[in-house]
Amino acid sequence: MAITVVGSVAYDTIETPAGRRDRCLGGAATYFSLAASFFSHVRVIAVVGQDFGPEQEAVFKARGIDTRGIEHTAGKSFFWRGSYLENLNEAKTHETELNVFAAFQPKIPEAYRDSEFLFLANIDPVLQKRVREQMPDVKLVAGDTMNYWIKDHRAALLEVLKGLDVLLINDTEARMLAGNNNLLLAARAVMAMGPRFLVIKHGEYGATYFSSFDPQGKSAEHCFRAPALPLEAVVDPTGAGDSFAGGFFGYLASQGKLTAATFRRAMFYGSVMGSFAVEKFGTERLQQLSREEIDVRFDLFRELTHLD
Amino acid sequence: MAITVVGSVAYDTIETPAGRRDRCLGGAATYFSLAASFFSHVRVIAVVGQDFGPEQEAVFKARGIDTRGIEHTAGKSFFWRGSYLENLNEAKTHETELNVFAAFQPKIPEAYRDSEFLFLANIDPVLQKRVREQMPDVKLVAGDTMNYWIKDHRAALLEVLKGLDVLLINDTEARMLAGNNNLLLAARAVMAMGPRFLVIKHGEYGATYFSSFDPQGKSAEHCFRAPALPLEAVVDPTGAGDSFAGGFFGYLASQGKLTAATFRRAMFYGSVMGSFAVEKFGTERLQQLSREEIDVRFDLFRELTHLD
């Protein structure tokens, strides 16, 4: 089934201990789309400037991604410059230029209307909500956010959370959003804000999935932990979370029935796609990836965690 | 099969967000013994002072632990005072009194000589080495250490590592010991120092087991990740690592053959015992535990990580 994703398509300048790349194609919607495209048909809603040309378009096309919802306007695309020189787990932002994103009014192409899955990548919650409202009949809607929106745009974010089935955030964001340092209590508090399902990402330690809790708080029965792969070299962590989301949601959308087992496998595919994303700069690794490599790594993740 | 463990039997004064306990029974060898006693016969080598009486002895006896190797001398037992008020993942030490431990010369009772498993809990590597040398014929020897020995007693510690089959340490210790921040590269470096098997503990994120690497560095095949249980309340983290070691090594010692599958299950039992230890202050929870509860939680860990 088709996924519509709204989010940023951008240029990133990235510095990591492995080197530096200037203005490579990035953005949450880009990573998400590439990762999800290995499982489902993906349709993007975004805005780009005149610096986005056929070369960038081709990256999406090569993966069969529908780009009719990428609006081209005068000006420059969203730009981000960051580094991970001291800590591979956390980006240090040096520069953010919203550019054409500043006046972004997401429009949903008619051809996207029958999408049954909707992903609201990390953008202004006001925009997330607007897209959500225009697609009231989707089967499953998932979203991401970040510390900036949690801290300074809480009211708008809480509105978005009410309309989400699945929220994907990291440890720090979950604790900040809930105002609780205990991960389980934080998860419970966040789920009380709307999402029935919650994925908390732990960087190099994997991710935990929570589904609705029972009132007694015997919640462990409703948890699932997917590992991350111990990697010899993390070249560039940019987009790891978005790639996780793409693998996770892309797999869900590829399945007829959404059972507990489906969500478990989706967590594994999320981790798999995140593990590939960080192996090269920007989207390089996702662009070169094959479905066969994904399956091999999925088996590796099983091997890494299963008793027999 | 029997395990001999050498380490501290001590009194701890502990402050956590959940409260405070004064002079409760603690020490690495105590936590290890209690946890391991659910799986194997355990024999302790330690030294205590006149403040260690029948009440403390009874804690060991109730679990069938052999205490003939606990030497009673004039003076006071090892004492530690610490808190976890800001960070449940890391103890802040306020006071350490070596007391009778300062002049400790481990002696191995004749009755312990046929132990096939040896655990060197976190003590001065000079003492660890002395015990190791007195038991050259054990089938498997595992050990623990801490940042203090890694930083200031590196030469002595390296001598111990040469004689270990299994080393259990945490993330920070592994990175410090190896001088490498990448967990996989750190693991490889530590294993080059001696241990064929390495367990790196990640606190609330679980633990990773590494066995010997191949020269190509295709090491993921030799990794296993066990989760930690997302807990509603961590009352007291003291002894979690020692309890992990007790569950891990106790289970190994209970098995006839040490296969890859045995090590995987041992990792789960380690996590299980660690998860119980932190539920109450000091050794309270381990003292009250039943084997049935252990089995139920083992199944919970499987549920938490397995796809089907």
Side-chain angles (χ1 to χ4, degrees):
Chain A
M1 280 172 279
I3 301 172
T4 286
V5 51
V6 59
S8 56
V9 171
Y11 286 98
D12 295 336
T13 290
I14 303 160
E15 205 171 356
T16 83
R20 179 186 163 114
R21 287 292 184 284
D22 282 280
R23 294 187 61 77
C24 56
L25 181 64
T30 307
Y31 284 100
F32 176 91
S33 300
L34 290 173
S37 71
F38 288 91
F39 306 92
S40 294
H41 181 53
V42 184
R43 298 155 166 173
V44 190
I45 298 174
V47 63
V48 294
Q50 288 148 315
D51 48 6
F52 184 95
E55 197 191 325
Q56 287 73 38
E57 183 87 19
V59 172
F60 292 85
K61 291 294 178 201
R63 295 283 332 135
I65 298 164
D66 195 330
T67 57
R68 283 176 288 178
I70 299 185
E71 188 186 335
H72 295 252
T73 69
K76 284 170 71 183
S77 300
F78 184 97
F79 173 73
W80 177 78
R81 184 165 69 83
S83 68
Y84 305 81
L85 294 180
E86 278 151 44
N87 183 355
L88 274 171
N89 290 312
E90 204 175 356
K92 195 167 172 177
T93 294
H94 300 293
E95 220 177 325
T96 304
E97 293 173 12
L98 281 180
N99 298 329
V100 297
F101 228 82
F104 182 35
Q105 297 292 345
K107 294 169 212 57
I108 297 161
E110 213 38 53
Y112 286 17
R113 294 271 168 199
D114 64 351
S115 303
E116 289 191 88
F117 288 75
L118 173 63
F119 188 76
L120 310 171
N122 169 33
I123 46 167
D124 188 335
V126 171
L127 299 183
Q128 291 181 314
K129 184 159 179 261
R130 210 167 290 160
V131 172
R132 174 70 180 100
E133 283 168 350
Q134 289 178 70
M135 298 187 76
D137 302 323
V138 288
K139 183 172 168 181
L140 201 76
V141 51
D144 190 4
T145 190
M146 70 183 289
N147 48 8
Y148 173 70
W149 309 115
I150 296 172
K151 266 203 309 216
D152 298 337
H153 295 74
R154 192 176 173 89
L157 179 61
L158 290 179
E159 283 302 307
V160 173
L161 294 184
K162 284 183 198 163
L164 285 189
D165 295 302
V166 192
L167 176 67
L168 296 100
I169 45 180
N170 70 29
D171 283 320
T172 314
E173 291 157 358
R175 291 180 165 125
M176 189 188 287
L177 184 54
N180 195 318
N181 268 329
N182 177 291
L183 203 67
L184 187 54
L185 299 182
R188 208 170 291 166
V190 170
M191 294 173 82
M193 298 172 190
R196 290 180 292 145
F197 308 107
L198 175 65
V199 177
I200 302 183
K201 294 166 285 176
H202 317 305
E204 66 174 313
Y205 300 121
T208 306
Y209 159 82
F210 298 90
S211 64
S212 56
F213 293 105
D214 71 29
Q216 255 59 51
K218 302 280 178 213
S219 52
E221 296 84 355
H222 308 286
C223 283
F224 183 69
R225 282 213 158 164
L229 196 66
L231 287 170
E232 214 168 315
V234 171
V235 171
D236 173 15
T238 311
D242 301 313
S243 304
F244 182 105
F248 174 83
F249 209 56
Y251 176 75
L252 284 183
S254 75
Q255 298 299 299
K257 263 181 97 174
L258 298 179
T259 66
T262 317
F263 276 97
R264 286 165 180 260
R265 294 179 70 89
M267 286 291 289
F268 264 50
Y269 281 113
S271 279
V272 163
M273 298 312 287
S275 78
F276 280 121
V278 304
E279 287 183 348
K280 299 205 171 180
F281 272 100
T283 58
E284 278 173 39
R285 188 66 181 96
L286 294 183
Q287 289 186 47
Q288 299 158 346
L289 200 58
S290 73
R291 179 59 203 244
E292 197 193 345
E293 288 176 299
I294 293 172
D295 294 336
V296 168
R297 188 155 293 182
F298 185 93
D299 290 340
L300 201 58
F301 271 79
R302 183 195 284 268
E303 183 72 15
L304 187 64
T305 50
H306 283 48
L307 290 170
D308 321 288
Chain B
M1 280 172 277
I3 301 171
T4 285
V5 51
V6 59
S8 57
V9 170
Y11 287 99
D12 294 337
T13 290
I14 303 159
E15 205 169 355
T16 83
R20 180 187 163 115
R21 287 291 184 283
D22 281 280
R23 294 186 62 75
C24 56
L25 180 64
T30 307
Y31 284 100
F32 177 91
S33 300
L34 290 173
S37 71
F38 288 91
F39 307 93
S40 293
H41 181 54
V42 184
R43 297 155 167 173
V44 190
I45 298 174
V47 63
V48 293
Q50 289 148 315
D51 48 6
F52 185 94
E55 196 192 326
Q56 288 72 38
E57 183 87 19
V59 171
F60 292 86
K61 290 296 179 199
R63 296 281 334 134
I65 298 163
D66 195 330
T67 57
R68 283 176 289 180
I70 299 184
E71 190 185 333
H72 293 251
T73 69
K76 284 168 72 182
S77 300
F78 185 98
F79 173 75
W80 177 78
R81 185 165 69 84
S83 67
Y84 305 83
L85 294 181
E86 278 152 44
N87 183 353
L88 274 171
N89 290 313
E90 205 175 355
K92 195 166 171 179
T93 293
H94 300 293
E95 221 178 323
T96 304
E97 293 173 11
L98 281 179
N99 297 328
V100 298
F101 228 84
F104 182 36
Q105 298 290 345
K107 294 170 211 58
I108 296 160
E110 214 39 53
Y112 285 18
R113 293 271 168 199
D114 64 351
S115 303
E116 289 191 89
F117 288 75
L118 174 63
F119 189 76
L120 309 172
N122 168 33
I123 47 169
D124 187 334
V126 171
L127 300 183
Q128 290 181 316
K129 182 159 181 261
R130 210 166 291 160
V131 172
R132 174 70 182 98
E133 282 168 353
Q134 289 178 69
M135 298 187 76
D137 302 322
V138 288
K139 184 172 168 184
L140 201 75
V141 52
D144 189 4
T145 191
M146 68 184 289
N147 47 8
Y148 173 70
W149 309 116
I150 295 171
K151 266 203 311 214
D152 298 338
H153 295 75
R154 190 177 175 88
L157 179 61
L158 290 178
E159 282 302 308
V160 174
L161 294 183
K162 284 183 200 163
L164 285 189
D165 296 302
V166 191
L167 176 67
L168 296 100
I169 46 180
N170 68 31
D171 285 319
T172 315
E173 290 157 359
R175 291 179 165 125
M176 189 188 287
L177 183 54
N180 195 317
N181 269 330
N182 178 290
L183 204 66
L184 187 56
L185 299 182
R188 208 170 291 166
V190 169
M191 295 175 80
M193 299 171 189
R196 290 180 291 145
F197 309 106
L198 175 64
V199 177
I200 301 184
K201 294 167 286 176
H202 316 307
E204 66 173 314
Y205 300 121
T208 306
Y209 161 82
F210 298 90
S211 65
S212 56
F213 295 104
D214 71 30
Q216 253 60 51
K218 303 279 178 214
S219 51
E221 297 84 357
H222 308 287
C223 283
F224 183 70
R225 282 215 158 162
L229 196 64
L231 287 170
E232 214 169 314
V234 171
V235 171
D236 173 17
T238 312
D242 302 313
S243 305
F244 182 104
F248 174 84
F249 209 55
Y251 176 74
L252 285 183
S254 75
Q255 299 299 299
K257 264 182 98 174
L258 297 179
T259 65
T262 317
F263 275 97
R264 285 166 182 259
R265 295 179 68 88
M267 286 291 289
F268 264 50
Y269 280 113
S271 279
V272 163
M273 300 311 287
S275 77
F276 281 121
V278 305
E279 288 184 346
K280 299 203 173 182
F281 271 100
T283 58
E284 278 173 39
R285 188 67 182 96
L286 295 183
Q287 289 186 46
Q288 298 158 347
L289 200 57
S290 72
R291 179 60 205 243
E292 199 193 343
E293 288 176 300
I294 294 171
D295 293 336
V296 168
R297 188 156 295 183
F298 185 94
D299 290 340
L300 201 58
F301 271 79
R302 182 195 285 267
E303 183 72 14
L304 187 65
T305 51
H306 283 49
L307 290 171
D308 322 288

